[in-house]
Amino acid sequence: MGETSVNFAKASTTALQDPQLRANFRRAMDGLMSKRAVQFADSKEWNAVRALGASVRLRALSKLPELLEKLEANCTRNGIQVHWASTTDEANAIVLSIMQRVNAKLVVKGKSMVSEEMHLNAFLEQHGIESLESDLGEYIVQLDEAMPSHIIMPAIHMNTKQIAHLFKQKIKEAEYTEDVAQLTDLARRVLRKKFATADVGISGVNMAVAETGTLCLVENEGNGRMSTTVPPVHIAVMGLEKVVEKLEDVPPVISLLTRSATAQPITTYVNMISSPRKEGEKDGPREIHLVILDNGRSSIYADEELRNTLRCIRCGACMNHCPVYTKVGGHAYEAPYPGPIGSILVPQMEGLAKRGELPHACTMCNACVEICPVKIPIVEIMGRLRAEAVHPGDSVKGAGSRASKAEAMVWKGWSMTYASPLAYRFATGLLAKLGNAAPTSLPLLKEWTNVRAKPRFASRTLHDLAREKGIPDV
């Protein structure tokens, strides 16, 4: 294969054996689903705003190259410096060069999934720069030296008691308490000191408006606003698909995002950033840099079907309703984007040779499709990636890397059997007589029987039953 494959099956099996993890997720998911349902109680309104949100994203994708050029031109006119990165390595190098130019030693970060994609914290630490997460959930998982387990609620896999023990262990002079308000206040005190002394602030971008050159960020804790206004330099990182055409496109997408993600009509803070501090203004950064990352997105965009992956607004609703994700949690995916959206996005970014298992982490129940606020056909794309994994081609990185000659021979035999009435009757008759005596250790049955009992074959075939009832063969 050329690359080391990530073993989702092993990681998910480990997660299923952790009763505390499953209890934490079950409690959290039940609450999120019920609260979201209240926000979209009116089905007519849900269908209308969903159709509007989908049209906004589809229109933006249909004009993506043009809108990106327009975004760059308007950001530059506003005083925002735009940088383009083909890969995460390039993006990291751009961020590092900005920091080294201003001699930065401390960075505070607002929430950003693209920075997780870049593994930015680890990269900066390797170059002697302290990078501190300021979102409470991200701060918790950073202390725990773990990846976020959810794109909206990074520490959703942990309960209050686990967080209390973590704070006691990792924060100097912290006293053990399970009082949520005291734990939050403790984190706030630590982070406030860092905001005041940080050299650079880093954030993500929920939407970038091409028409005005505006960066839009939504958040609840105020850390995003602090990260983007207190330090003298602000660096925003975004995937190239995050652009929308007009300012009027922002409200419907925000409405869908906040209600789907956290069951709020709107978040506590909505930040619209259009320029660095101007002469006479008392606050804001003196420099703003926008790093636009490709990292495989152009290849996804080139395929009309797979392009729909890029509609995603990162609300996390598909995760909250997924029967697989809610059982195994986000860490089993070992990726920055877990759940249904991660199962189609990550294999396209990193290749099917490494991530070919993820499209199979799906029951095809369609819950994610029904709940997606921008109508991404996730299950159809999942099926497409499964097929790409075993058929050589150039549409997806690593296509054909999981092909198996033995499996191909089995399907060829199946096809020939079903194409010939004589072969079908012979095969089903033979299985009816001998199937139940077949050893379960045969290679073709091993994976099946490892997880479930081998089904017993019927004593008579459908043809036998039809003949007994006088139904003629077709």
Side-chain angles (χ1 to χ4, degrees), residues 266-329:
I266 194 167
T267 47
T268 309
Y269 298 91
V270 176
N271 306 295
M272 308 290 280
I273 301 169
S274 294
S275 74
R277 185 193 304 190
K278 297 177 181 177
E279 188 175 346
E281 292 182 339
K282 296 183 178 180
D283 59 13
R286 299 191 181 281
E287 293 181 23
I288 299 179
H289 299 263
L290 174 62
V291 181
I292 301 176
L293 175 65
D294 187 328
N295 195 30
R297 290 167 172 84
S298 292
S299 297
I300 298 171
Y301 180 77
D303 187 289
E304 288 191 11
E305 181 180 21
L306 300 178
R307 180 183 302 176
N308 289 305
T309 308
L310 302 178
R311 289 194 217 175
C312 181
I313 60 174
R314 304 293 191 269
C315 69
C318 62
M319 301 174 196
N320 303 341
H321 293 76
C322 174
V324 177
Y325 174 87
T326 55
K327 296 295 187 298
V328 303

Side-chain angles (χ1 to χ4, degrees), residues 5-19 21-22 25 147 149 324-335 338 354-355 357-358 361:
S5 178
V6 175
N7 195 332
F8 173 81
K10 182 178 180 180
S12 58
T13 299
T14 301
L16 288 171
Q17 294 169 349
D18 185 342
L21 177 71
R22 296 187 66 182
F25 266 95
M147 291 181 67
S149 59
V324 177
Y325 174 87
T326 55
K327 296 295 187 298
V328 303
H331 289 157
Y333 294 79
E334 299 180 350
K354 182 178 180 181
R355 297 291 190 171
E357 273 194 320
L358 292 185

Side-chain angles (χ1 to χ4, degrees), residues 145-196:
E145 299 179 8
M147 291 181 67
S149 59
H150 193 286
I151 63 173
I152 299 297
M153 292 146 287
I156 200 169
H157 59 290
M158 300 179 73
N159 60 27
T160 305
K161 191 171 185 177
Q162 291 170 318
I163 295 169
H165 280 293
L166 178 67
F167 277 23
K168 179 69 173 69
Q169 179 185 357
K170 294 295 182 78
I171 299 177
K172 187 179 179 181
E173 299 177 358
E175 296 182 3
Y176 182 85
T177 177
E178 294 181 21
D179 184 281
V180 174
Q182 290 184 33
L183 290 170
T184 304
D185 184 61
L186 175 60
R188 183 184 293 116
R189 291 199 305 271
V190 173
L191 294 171
R192 285 280 173 171
K193 295 176 184 177
K194 299 292 186 178
F195 284 126

Side-chain angles (χ1 to χ4, degrees), residues 10 14 81 98 125 177 184 194 203 213 215 223 241 257 261 271 273 279 307 318 336 363 411 424 430 453 459 470:
K10 182 178 180 180
T14 301
Q81 301 176 53
I98 296 169
E125 287 173 7
T177 177
T184 304
K194 299 292 186 178
S203 75
L215 311 180
N223 64 294
E241 79 278 18
L257 172 59
N271 306 295
I273 301 169
E279 188 175 346
R307 180 183 302 176
C318 62
T363 65
W411 283 113
Y424 176 82
L430 185 65
S459 59

